């Protein structure tokens, strides 16, 4: 049994202050991409095994595919250790804000459930997805969707207009906790004597939210509140965004907690030309396109 785990970008990402549990309250629009990992599931007589095409991917309980197996096995009331094998073909670059690990985790929940015939109700799969990570529930729905709270409260939206996407990979990575910590530092929400100061209504003093965040009729709003804190520490990021805009992108922004920057284009030709230009300037790039809920969703079909 084979499943595709599609990458995502965040078309927009607003940080609306802190939640009592220490997570940041988000309002983000996720968008699936055609770019995907492939997971092939096989029966096994004993134990769990993950094989992966790419080096550096943990093949044990640190992998969300492994954690997903444990969760599904336990939720199905099975005893002992889960049994199965998975072959993971990685195409989504890791730690880039494209949700690679989370997409694999969501695909694994569905994959193990089908392999073992456990048929967990969709509501149960969603709950397990939340346990795996804040980004994971989106990948069950895919397409275009609004994520609230930790980013895990998902409201499906109509598919956004199809676009070609140029992804640019800076030579540095950013971990998710790091990006949020930098946002805290810049917005004065650092812990004080072990207590966190909440930014009043999510907007730091003296930093009114830009009016350009308002969506325009034929163009979705594209922005990322985590981009400024990351750009401040990695100057190349702003340079990449300007290069994408200079190469004709309709809009460009960092995705998730970075460090990947994406640009949106109406045609494949325009996307290819921009990608060639950025490659010549020394950046690592990839061209893909947006994917609809029907193309990328794990719970459809
Ligand atoms: O849930 P996940 O493991 O993806 O989150 C990783 C870390 O990112 C969290 O421990 C937290 O520090 C940060 N985070 C956050 N607010 C969110 C999502 C993640 O502060 N909405």
């Amino acid at each position: 049994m084979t499943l595709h785990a599609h990458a995502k970008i965040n078309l927009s990402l607003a940080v609306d202050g802190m939640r009592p549990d220490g997570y940041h309250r988000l309002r983000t629009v996720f968008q699936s991409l055609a770019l995907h990992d492939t997971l092939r599931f096989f029966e096994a007589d004993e134990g769990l095994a993950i094989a992966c095409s790419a080096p550096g991917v943990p093949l044990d309980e640190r992998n969300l595919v492994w954690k997903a197996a444990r969760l599904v096995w336990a939720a199905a009331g099975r005893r002992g250790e889960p049994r199965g094998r998975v072959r993971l073909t990685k195409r989504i670059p890791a730690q880039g804000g494209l949700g690679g690990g989370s997409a694999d985790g969501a695909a694994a929940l569905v994959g193990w459930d089908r392999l073992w015939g456990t048929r967990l109700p969709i509501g149960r799969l969603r709950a397990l997805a939340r346990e795996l990570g804040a980004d994971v529930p989106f990948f069950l729905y895919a397409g275009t969707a609004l994520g609230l709270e930790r980013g895990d409260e998902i409201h499906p939206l109509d598919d956004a207009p199809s676009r070609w996407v140029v992804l640019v990979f800076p030579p540095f990575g950013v971990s998710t906790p790091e990006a949020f910590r930098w946002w805290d530092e810049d917005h004065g929400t650092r812990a004080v004597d072990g207590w966190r100061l909440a930014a009043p209504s999510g907007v730091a003093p003296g930093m009114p939210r830009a009016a350009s965040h308002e969506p325009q009729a034929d163009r979705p709003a594209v922005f990322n509140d985590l981009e400024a804190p990351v750009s401040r520490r990695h100057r190349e990021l702003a340079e990449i965004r300007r290069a994408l805009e200079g190469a004709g992108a309709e809009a460009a922004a960092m995705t998730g907690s970075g460090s990947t920057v994406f640009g949106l284009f109406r045609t494949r030709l325009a996307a290819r030309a921009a990608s060639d230009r950025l490659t010549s300037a020394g950046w690592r790039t990839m061209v893909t396109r947006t994917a609809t809920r029907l193309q990328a969703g794990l719970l459809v079909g």
Side-chain angles (χ1 to χ4, degrees), residues 13 15 17-19 21-27 64 102 129-136 148-152 175-181 184 196 226 257:
L13 191 159
V15 182
M18 296 298 291
R19 287 161 43 99
D21 64 3
Y23 272 73
H24 294 73
R25 185 169 281 113
L26 303 184
R27 196 175 62 252
L64 290 188
S102 300
R130 274 189 166 161
E131 262 185 69
L132 279 184
D135 258 5
V136 181
L148 299 177
E149 293 301 325
R150 302 189 317 163
D152 56 355
S175 79
T176 305
E178 194 172 41
F180 281 107
R181 198 178 61 242
D184 291 346
R196 283 182 183 277
L226 294 175
S257 57

Side-chain angles (χ1 to χ4, degrees), residues 44 54 68 82 109 163 167 175 181 183 195 218-219 233 244 275 287:
L109 287 175
R163 288 290 184 272
L167 301 174
S175 79
R181 198 178 61 242
W183 188 92
W195 298 88
D218 64 332
R219 225 171 63 157
R233 287 145 183 102
L244 277 166
S275 148
V287 177

Side-chain angles (χ1 to χ4, degrees), residues 8 10 13-15 17-18 22-26 95-98 135 172-190 196 224-234 237 254-260:
K8 60 84 177 164
N10 299 79
L13 191 159
V15 182
M18 296 298 291
Y23 272 73
H24 294 73
R25 185 169 281 113
L26 303 184
Q95 296 242 309
L98 296 166
D135 258 5
F172 58 89
V174 180
S175 79
T176 305
E178 194 172 41
F180 281 107
R181 198 178 61 242
W182 290 342
W183 188 92
D184 291 346
E185 282 172 18
D186 293 2
H187 292 76
T189 52
R190 266 168 302 185
R196 283 182 183 277
N224 185 340
D225 282 354
L226 294 175
E227 189 175 318
V230 175
S231 283
R232 211 158 283 144
R233 287 145 183 102
H234 291 284
L237 210 75
M254 188 180 83
T255 175
S257 57
S259 62
T260 308

Side-chain angles (χ1 to χ4, degrees), residues 89-163:
T89 308
K90 275 251 64 81
R91 296 185 201 84
I92 309 172
Q95 296 242 309
L98 296 166
S102 300
D104 295 346
L109 287 175
V110 175
W112 295 124
D113 180 62
R114 288 196 193 153
L115 185 78
W116 296 327
T118 38
R119 296 175 181 280
L120 294 174
I122 284 174
R124 196 66 200 275
L125 286 176
R126 285 187 188 130
L128 297 184
R130 274 189 166 161
E131 262 185 69
L132 279 184
D135 258 5
V136 181
F138 163 73
F139 294 97
L140 293 177
Y141 298 80
T144 310
L146 175 67
L148 299 177
E149 293 301 325
R150 302 189 317 163
D152 56 355
E153 188 191 306
I154 300 297
H155 302 268
L157 301 171
D158 285 345
D159 284 313
S162 170
R163 288 290 184 272

Side-chain angles (χ1 to χ4, degrees), residues 9-74:
I9 50 176
N10 299 79
L11 289 173
S12 62
L13 191 159
V15 182
D16 274 341
M18 296 298 291
R19 287 161 43 99
D21 64 3
Y23 272 73
H24 294 73
R25 185 169 281 113
L26 303 184
R27 196 175 62 252
T28 181
V29 176
F30 293 104
Q31 172 62 54
S32 293
L33 298 179
L35 170 68
H36 63 272
D37 292 344
T38 303
L39 290 89
R40 291 206 164 78
F41 296 85
F42 305 93
E43 307 270 4
D45 290 336
E46 59 177 36
L48 272 179
I50 305 176
C52 182
S53 61
V57 176
L59 302 176
D60 53 20
E61 61 274 357
R62 287 168 296 168
N63 195 310
L64 290 188
V65 172
W66 191 291
K67 287 190 182 139
R70 285 243 157 91
L71 289 177
V72 172
W73 193 263

